[in-house]
Amino acid sequence: MADGSKNQANIIAVMGASGSGKSAWIKQQLRAGKPAALLVWDPQDEFDEFGRPVSNMKELIAAVRGASPEGYRLVYKPGNAFSTYGPKFDIFCQVAYMANGGCVVVDELGDVTEPSRAPDGWSILSRKGRHRGITLFGAAQRPANIDKDFIGNSTLVHCSRLSYENDIKVMANALCVPADEIRNMKADEDTGDFDWIERANKSGAVRRGKLTF
Ligand SMILES: Nc1ncnc2c1ncn2[C@@H]1O[C@H](COP(=O)(O)OP(=O)(O)OP(=O)(O)O)[C@@H](O)[C@H]1O
Ligand SMILES: [Mg+2]
């Protein structure tokens, strides 16, 4: 299991189509890991059970600055105006990196990165965060359309159902499994079948499972 606890530094790439179970799986990791220090980028208003909602960047910075090193749980809401996400996300990442340690969740990376555009704050957080003991979850619906280095730099890749052929190919490559295995994964609300495949990049170990609620 991916461990969201403070003692295990991890970069976790969580990829899957809309409704395939990414957020549900991340929430399960947070409930299990109970990180004492947590920062969430929450564009879809889904993570309030894990911390204090904050929608003002100055307030976020002050809350992290004023907190004891391991004692904040903040859920940042960037709002609905996509055009404002760029600078907000850059600052969010810088705050997360400076906080030193703890767990950071970025839901919907597709909003804020592209294959050819990784904001500076994000680059530093995702490449160097592990050296600061940061556990970072980054989720995306379209792995072919996000920062191209993130999946390769991750320590764990967790993948649920994908719809687009480009995404299936990217993830077959990342997980080192046949594309058909990814193509055949289910995400079915009616039957409650939510398949996933994950690969631990250090060991190369691949595991398969289903979300259970
Ligand atoms: N506690 C639960 N019990 C049963 N089903 C659940 C529970 N939590 C989530 N689900 C179901 O899991 C499915 C996946 O939802 P989730 O929000 O994790 O998708 P997602 O991959 O994050 O999608 P998106 O990219 O749109 O955010 C949904 O169909 C939802 O109804
Ligand atoms: Mg989600």
Side-chain angles (χ1 to χ4, degrees):
M1 184 189 80
D3 189 344
S5 76
K6 61 181 184 291
N7 295 322
Q8 196 166 343
N10 267 322
I11 309 294
I12 303 140
V14 187
M15 302 292 132
S18 180
S20 65
K22 299 180 299 297
S23 298
W25 182 79
I26 291 171
K27 289 175 192 176
Q28 291 182 355
Q29 305 309 301
L30 295 178
R31 288 186 200 110
K34 294 189 181 65
L38 176 67
L39 264 186
V40 183
W41 171 270
D42 184 22
Q44 303 197 114
D45 264 336
E46 287 186 290
F47 284 86
D48 283 2
E49 72 173 276
F50 296 99
R52 177 158 72 85
V54 178
S55 50
N56 179 303
M57 187 53 80
K58 281 187 184 153
E59 198 185 332
L60 183 82
I61 294 167
V64 171
R65 276 214 183 113
S68 63
E70 298 196 328
Y72 54 88
R73 295 166 70 87
L74 299 161
V75 180
Y76 177 70
K77 318 282 185 178
N80 294 323
F82 280 105
S83 59
T84 65
Y85 278 20
K88 286 175 181 170
F89 185 61
D90 203 29
I91 296 171
F92 174 90
C93 290
Q94 289 179 44
V95 170
Y97 185 66
M98 286 186 320
N100 226 341
C103 181
V104 182
V105 175
V106 176
D107 209 2
E108 305 301 348
L109 268 175
D111 293 346
V112 283
T113 77
E114 291 170 22
S116 57
R117 183 181 62 85
D120 291 345
W122 169 251
S123 285
I124 291 167
L125 180 65
S126 59
R127 288 173 202 194
K128 297 187 177 173
R130 78 186 66 178
H131 301 301
R132 294 197 165 195
I134 291 169
T135 295
L136 172 63
F137 292 87
Q141 297 175 348
R142 301 286 321 269
N145 291 359
I146 60 161
D147 165 18
K148 61 185 176 353
D149 296 325
F150 176 61
I151 295 170
N153 286 338
S154 63
T155 50
L156 184 82
V157 183
H158 179 95
C159 180
S160 43
R161 181 175 172 78
L162 290 164
S163 311
Y164 292 94
E165 208 42 44
N166 279 354
D167 297 322
I168 290 169
K169 285 190 183 127
V170 165
M171 294 315 291
N173 196 22
L175 294 161
C176 304
V177 303
D180 265 344
E181 207 189 321
I182 299 189
R183 219 169 268 126
N184 295 335
M185 280 199 287
K186 297 190 199 74
D188 187 337
E189 251 182 86
D190 296 333
T191 59
D193 262 347
F194 293 95
D195 295 323
W196 53 257
I197 303 175
E198 64 183 28
R199 181 173 197 272
N201 282 332
K202 258 191 213 157
S203 66
V206 176
R207 301 196 315 145
R208 287 123 179 124
K210 285 180 188 293
L211 264 190
T212 50
F213 294 106

